Amino acid sequence: MSVNPGFGGQKFIENTHDKIINLKEFIKKNNLKTKIEVDGGIKTLNVKSVIDDGAEVIVSGSDIFNNDVNKKIEEYYNIFDI
């Protein structure tokens, strides 16, 4: 949804924000019981805005596993004061 399929480490496609917002509105309008998952290009720099758009499930691969895993996960927790 937020990158071109094929390989990890791609940059988040910015117009995905609009897609998430529109999908969230559709879900609310139609009283659907579903969650929005975003996978692709998720990094500590954009995860908060993606969640603010309406995403509820986040997948972050290369941002975590191409770094010090424990330190990077701690950075994600710190964004949300977990």
Side-chain angles (χ1 to χ4, degrees):
M1 179 175 173
S2 55
V3 296
N4 295 314
F7 60 93
Q10 295 184 61
K11 187 176 186 295
F12 183 84
I13 298 171
E14 290 298 320
N15 72 352
T16 303
H17 290 289
D18 293 334
K19 291 179 183 181
I20 297 167
I21 292 166
N22 292 335
L23 182 57
K24 188 66 172 186
E25 289 173 5
F26 179 84
I27 290 168
K28 284 182 182 180
K29 179 181 175 183
N30 292 284
N31 198 29
L32 301 174
K33 305 237 186 281
T34 188
K35 293 182 179 182
I36 299 171
E37 177 179 339
V38 179
D39 177 359
I42 298 298
K43 301 189 180 320
T44 53
L45 301 173
N46 63 9
V47 67
K48 184 161 180 359
S49 63
V50 170
I51 289 173
D52 289 345
D53 292 339
E56 297 174 79
V57 179
I58 300 296
V59 177
S60 181
S62 62
D63 190 46
I64 294 174
F65 295 109
N66 290 346
N67 292 288
D68 178 316
V69 173
N70 291 329
K71 182 178 177 185
K72 189 53 82 166
I73 290 172
E74 185 175 324
E75 287 178 33
Y76 277 90
Y77 283 153
N78 288 335
I79 291 170
F80 299 101
D81 295 322
I82 297 174

